[in-house]
Amino acid sequence: MELFGKRSGRDLLAPHSGHENVVLQIQKILVQILPLHKMLLKEIDSVCSNWDSRSPNMSKTIATYADFLKCCQPFLDKKADFLSRFLQLRNEDKEFDEATFMFETEVFKRGKKGAVIQQLDQVHQNFMRYKLLMLRYSEYLVDGTDEKQTALDAIVKLEKMTQVVNQKMGLPTTEELTKLYYRFQCQFNVLEPGRVLIRQGEVLKQTRKEMQPRYLVLFTDCLWICRVSSSRTLSTGQFEMNRSYRIPLEYMRFDKMEDDEHLRCLMVKSKVKSAVLIFSTEKERNLWADDLMKAQFDRKSYKRRQSTAAQKHDENKQKMKRLLMLAEKNNINEDADGEDRPHSLMTSRSASTSQDDLSSVPVTPGDVENCPEFGEDTPARKSSAKVRGGDVVKPVWLPDNISSECLMEGCSTEFNLINRRHHCRDCGWLICRYCKGQAPLAKYEFMKQNVCSECYDRIQKLYRKGELFPKKYIEEQADGVFLVRVGKRNEQEIVDPRKLFKSPFNVGLKHRNVEEKRAESIVFGKVYLRNRKSEVVRYGLIRRDDLKLVFYKAELDSKAVLEVLIYGYFFRETRLESNGGWLFELIHRNQIRTNDTKDDVIAFRVDNSASAKKWSAAFADKLELDPTHVASD
């Protein structure tokens, strides 16, 4: 700051808003912390230099200095205020911002707006990491030894200090983070600088067969969907790391599902994993969605700043090279204090890095070289294909019970033991074996996957036009034949692209319009249709055009299992006790009454309050209330 201030003729460390400059305040505290850590590192180095595995003696050093680590607390108590004022100063003072950027470039070898903040975060992260290190160290010590006891005493001291600090900062306790670290089987660094735990909790995940328990952990940079070992409890068990998924926030999409049956559901999509997550209540779902939205916005903003700073850093390096070449050519020697340095070099970054001018995270440009066309038998010799974002996002599979028949328009196949269900790996659609083809998909490194008829046609057209495989996947052989590389980086194989395609038996079929039923109905939803002895799950609707009450076996079925024209029926509505939902009864009475005459009754139960209100409103609008029935409250 002092050197840059001399060049610009300003004191960049002058008081700001009536207070001492925040840089000087940070300096005063860090200067007090530094000597203690130097002594600690010196002691650790001394112990390691004379190490004897038969009689380890690190615990005494950590226990001795544990109390002195309290010197970090004044900085940690004020860190949030320091960072807020530091960012405010960068935004208001362009020269201060430029000086900070030049410092980051010089010290960290790459300009990153936020590098200083990350380093200041490390004070807190390292403060908590001491306990984790001692816990790992104590695992290797023999029970009952003095070293073991000293290690445990040091851990207690460290825990007390970190508890106090984290509570003041409003952050998770070290004990909580330590447990989480071990649940990740020590394979994920929960204390990485800049990474903060936001929320964690139990959730259900919709799979193709049933709902299964999962554990969600949200950090400032990623979301974990974790599977817990079946032999452990969900809230404390270790995560199965090979079956858990880490999703970077900047490359994730999520949507709150708003129809009555899915008010507790959140749909997450990414190239790592896509899933429907089911929370205990709608309120909990909304809290998670709000935290995800804020964390994702902050993460994208940080990545934009980082990308812009890195780009300007590269531009400044090129400018500097040109200036040096020009100076050498003209035999111009700059003064030692750099007074002849062009001012544009200092100000170009500040003029172009306004956050308001940035709207999205930069993505790597695709392969856009011009190339000759190719025929059906070969991939492009120089493909112009781009791997689009939507092409690499994993689909959410429709659950098996959502339909009892193939969902392709024009196919009448019903699922059974012989005709089993298949899922399209490109769109997640539910299809039969006759509508199943195979094609290479970008989301699976262009490996051959099962796809529906519609997706097969689309992928085949891209292949024929030379827009399927990017250039980097194509290899020309010595005999002029073009092959493609498929599979993960360490498991790639070179194959003839024609062998990656297998046409479905039902060629050319499109997806059925599954929203048509809902759009043409007055009310639609899941119900429990009652008979004399039991009740079964059905999906019911009242058709708008003919006023028929129609029931389907599954939500997306096209064939009804029961249709009743309800004109002339009376209706009853009863609130069941013990959260049993609402019972709706439709009664039709014969005009000629005899002793053996029975009313025609259709009864079903609805357990969703929002859906029940819609059924009630529809019946009240179209039918008359049964005059012989008094509804219970």
Side-chain angles (χ1 to χ4, degrees):
M1 288 296 171
E2 290 174 350
L3 291 173
F4 197 93
K6 289 180 181 178
R7 296 172 186 168
S8 60
R10 278 190 58 201
D11 181 9
L12 297 180
L13 297 176
H16 180 259
S17 300
H19 299 282
E20 184 180 23
N21 191 287
V22 65
V23 174
L24 295 178
Q25 293 184 42
I26 293 174
Q27 180 199 31
K28 287 181 179 179
I29 294 184
L30 293 185
V31 165
Q32 297 173 18
I33 295 175
L34 185 61
L36 174 69
H37 283 79
K38 284 184 176 180
M39 288 190 292
L40 174 58
L41 291 176
K42 184 178 179 180
E43 289 295 324
I44 291 175
D45 183 64
S46 175
V47 173
C48 292
S49 299
N50 301 284
W51 187 259
D52 184 352
S53 298
R54 294 167 297 181
S55 56
N57 60 341
M58 182 64 73
S59 300
K60 182 179 179 181
T61 299
I62 302 299
T64 301
Y65 280 86
D67 291 327
F68 294 102
L69 289 173
K70 292 178 181 177
C71 68
C72 299
Q73 189 165 336
F75 170 77
L76 297 175
D77 291 344
K78 300 178 181 179
K79 190 185 76 166
D81 180 57
F82 284 158
L83 297 185
S84 175
R85 290 165 55 195
F86 179 73
L87 288 174
Q88 180 184 359
L89 195 54
R90 291 196 72 168
N91 291 330
E92 294 177 357
D93 191 330
K94 289 186 176 181
E95 289 186 338
F96 181 89
D97 181 60
E98 190 65 44
T100 305
F101 170 73
M102 298 299 287
F103 169 77
E104 291 173 328
T105 304
E106 180 68 23
V107 175
F108 306 119
K109 309 304 179 185
R110 182 176 184 183
K112 295 192 298 184
K113 188 171 183 178
V116 167
I117 294 176
Q118 276 195 341
Q119 295 300 314
L120 295 178
D121 278 339
Q122 284 198 26
V123 177
H124 180 237
Q125 302 293 346
N126 290 334
F127 184 77
M128 295 191 295
R129 193 173 285 121
Y130 283 113
K131 182 192 171 184
L132 287 179
L133 293 173
M134 286 304 297
L135 282 170
R136 295 293 300 276
Y137 173 67
S138 66
E139 290 178 355
Y140 296 93
L141 300 177
V142 179
D143 292 337
T145 60
D146 293 341
E147 181 69 5
K148 180 80 169 187
Q149 186 58 48
T150 306
L152 295 177
D153 293 342
I155 291 170
V156 171
K157 286 184 179 180
L158 293 168
E159 175 61 23
K160 288 181 179 178
M161 286 188 298
T162 52
Q163 290 276 15
V164 172
V165 170
N166 285 356
Q167 287 173 1
K168 285 188 176 181
M169 297 177 69
L171 297 174
T173 63
T174 310
E175 182 179 5
E176 185 178 1
L177 291 172
T178 302
K179 289 179 180 178
L180 198 57
Y181 180 65
Y182 279 100
R183 294 192 73 185
F184 278 110
Q185 300 187 43
C186 306
Q187 297 180 33
F188 178 70
N189 185 6
V190 299
L191 295 178
E192 182 174 311
R195 176 175 293 151
V196 178
L197 175 64
I198 298 176
R199 180 181 285 271
Q200 58 179 321
E202 301 176 15
V203 71
L204 293 174
K205 173 180 171 289
Q206 178 66 64
T207 66
R208 64 175 295 179
K209 298 277 185 193
E210 58 187 4
M211 292 184 293
Q212 295 182 356
R214 294 291 186 270
Y215 199 83
L216 288 189
V217 188
L218 175 61
F219 293 94
T220 47
D221 62 335
C222 63
L223 173 70
W224 275 92
I225 303 177
C226 301
R227 181 193 289 262
V228 180
S229 174
S230 58
S231 61
R232 306 290 183 88
T233 60
L234 189 63
S235 58
T236 59
Q238 286 191 332
F239 303 139
E240 297 182 24
M241 298 302 292
N242 60 334
R243 304 179 74 181
S244 299
Y245 300 92
R246 175 189 177 187
I247 305 176
L249 291 183
E250 60 268 31
Y251 303 122
M252 182 184 73
R253 308 172 193 169
F254 59 92
D255 296 300
K256 293 190 290 187
M257 302 172 69
E258 298 297 352
D259 55 289
D260 297 338
E261 308 297 334
H262 301 95
L263 290 177
R264 298 184 293 122
C265 300
L266 187 71
M267 181 179 292
V268 174
K269 291 186 176 182
S270 75
K271 64 180 181 180
V272 178
K273 182 67 175 178
S274 296
V276 172
L277 305 174
I278 305 164
F279 297 86
S280 58
T281 63
E282 181 184 358
K283 180 179 179 181
E284 184 186 4
R285 189 275 307 265
N286 293 338
L287 290 174
W288 270 93
D290 292 342
D291 285 342
L292 274 168
M293 185 179 299
K294 183 179 183 305
Q296 189 177 63
F297 175 81
D298 293 342
R299 183 65 179 173
K300 286 185 175 181
S301 298
Y302 166 72
K303 298 291 284 188
R304 287 197 296 266
R305 294 195 302 268
Q306 186 183 55
S307 177
T308 302
Q311 181 180 359
K312 293 305 298 181
H313 173 61
D314 294 339
E315 292 176 1
N316 285 343
K317 285 179 65 177
Q318 294 299 323
K319 287 181 181 179
M320 182 65 73
K321 287 182 179 179
R322 289 195 293 270
L323 289 172
L324 291 174
M325 291 174 63
L326 181 63
E328 184 178 353
K329 182 177 180 180
N330 297 321
N331 295 321
I332 298 176
N333 295 320
E334 293 184 349
D335 294 336
D337 58 2
E339 292 179 355
D340 293 335
R341 185 184 301 272
H343 185 66
S344 62
L345 181 63
M346 308 300 176
T347 59
S348 60
R349 173 179 173 272
S350 297
S352 62
T353 56
S354 172
Q355 193 171 337
D356 295 335
D357 296 334
L358 303 169
S359 59
S360 62
V361 179
V363 296
T364 304
D367 201 345
V368 294
E369 295 186 28
N370 295 325
C371 59
E373 296 182 356
F374 72 106
E376 291 185 22
D377 296 336
T378 61
R381 289 168 173 81
K382 285 187 178 180
S383 173
S384 59
K386 298 179 182 179
V387 178
R388 292 171 287 271
D391 293 338
V392 297
V393 174
K394 296 290 195 304
V396 176
W397 285 14
L398 294 177
D400 286 359
N401 62 4
I402 204 169
S403 178
S404 58
E405 58 193 31
C406 181
L407 293 178
M408 302 305 293
E409 189 68 48
C411 182
S412 58
T413 302
E414 295 187 9
F415 298 126
N416 51 42
L417 291 176
I418 298 175
N419 296 319
R420 68 184 190 88
R421 293 168 172 82
H422 296 272
H423 282 86
C424 174
R425 267 54 171 183
D426 196 38
C427 66
W429 216 243
L430 206 58
I431 54 178
C432 68
R433 59 176 175 169
Y434 303 108
C435 297
K436 175 179 71 71
Q438 291 183 319
L441 298 179
K443 54 176 64 74
Y444 293 100
E445 294 82 27
F446 292 102
M447 294 288 288
K448 182 167 64 175
Q449 300 290 332
N450 292 342
V451 294
C452 65
S453 302
E454 181 173 328
C455 292
Y456 179 88
D457 291 341
R458 179 180 59 81
I459 297 167
Q460 182 76 290
K461 288 177 182 178
L462 290 174
Y463 172 70
R464 290 176 177 175
K465 291 192 297 183
E467 297 177 357
L468 179 60
F469 299 104
K471 177 184 173 182
K472 64 181 181 179
Y473 288 90
I474 300 173
E475 290 197 4
E476 182 177 5
Q477 304 301 300
D479 56 1
V481 175
F482 288 87
L483 305 179
V484 294
R485 287 183 292 105
V486 300
K488 295 182 179 180
R489 183 174 300 178
N490 56 345
E491 301 175 356
Q492 285 187 340
E493 55 180 328
I494 300 175
V495 300
D496 184 337
R498 293 171 294 183
K499 295 182 179 180
L500 299 175
F501 290 89
K502 182 180 179 181
S503 175
F505 182 82
N506 290 336
V507 180
L509 299 188
K510 303 295 182 183
H511 292 165
R512 183 190 302 165
N513 182 4
V514 295
E515 295 299 326
E516 185 177 7
K517 285 190 307 187
R518 192 183 295 269
E520 296 179 354
S521 63
I522 299 174
V523 60
F524 177 87
K526 183 173 74 171
V527 302
Y528 298 85
L529 187 62
R530 292 193 167 189
N531 55 35
R532 293 180 179 179
K533 295 182 178 180
S534 62
E535 58 183 21
V536 291
V537 176
R538 292 289 183 262
Y539 282 82
L541 61 84
I542 301 177
R543 244 186 340 239
R544 194 184 305 275
D545 57 351
D546 59 6
L547 207 62
K548 278 189 175 181
L549 177 62
V550 186
F551 294 98
Y552 298 88
K553 184 177 180 180
E555 182 177 352
L556 301 185
D557 280 2
S558 61
K559 301 173 184 176
V561 295
L562 177 64
E563 290 189 24
V564 180
L565 178 63
I566 61 174
Y567 182 78
Y569 277 73
F570 296 101
F571 82 96
R572 300 173 183 170
E573 177 183 336
T574 307
R575 176 69 183 269
L576 302 177
E577 297 180 356
S578 303
N579 297 322
W582 290 259
L583 176 65
F584 293 94
E585 295 174 285
L586 302 184
I587 304 99
H588 189 279
R589 296 190 174 91
N590 293 322
Q591 295 182 7
I592 301 175
R593 305 293 293 180
T594 63
N595 293 333
D596 59 346
T597 301
K598 293 184 178 181
D599 294 337
D600 182 18
V601 179
I602 302 170
F604 62 88
R605 180 174 63 89
V606 178
D607 61 359
N608 181 285
S609 59
S611 182
K613 289 178 182 178
K614 293 181 180 180
W615 282 102
S616 178
F619 287 140
D621 182 52
K622 302 298 181 183
L623 305 178
E624 293 184 16
L625 189 66
D626 182 11
T628 66
H629 176 71
V630 179
S632 60
D633 294 332

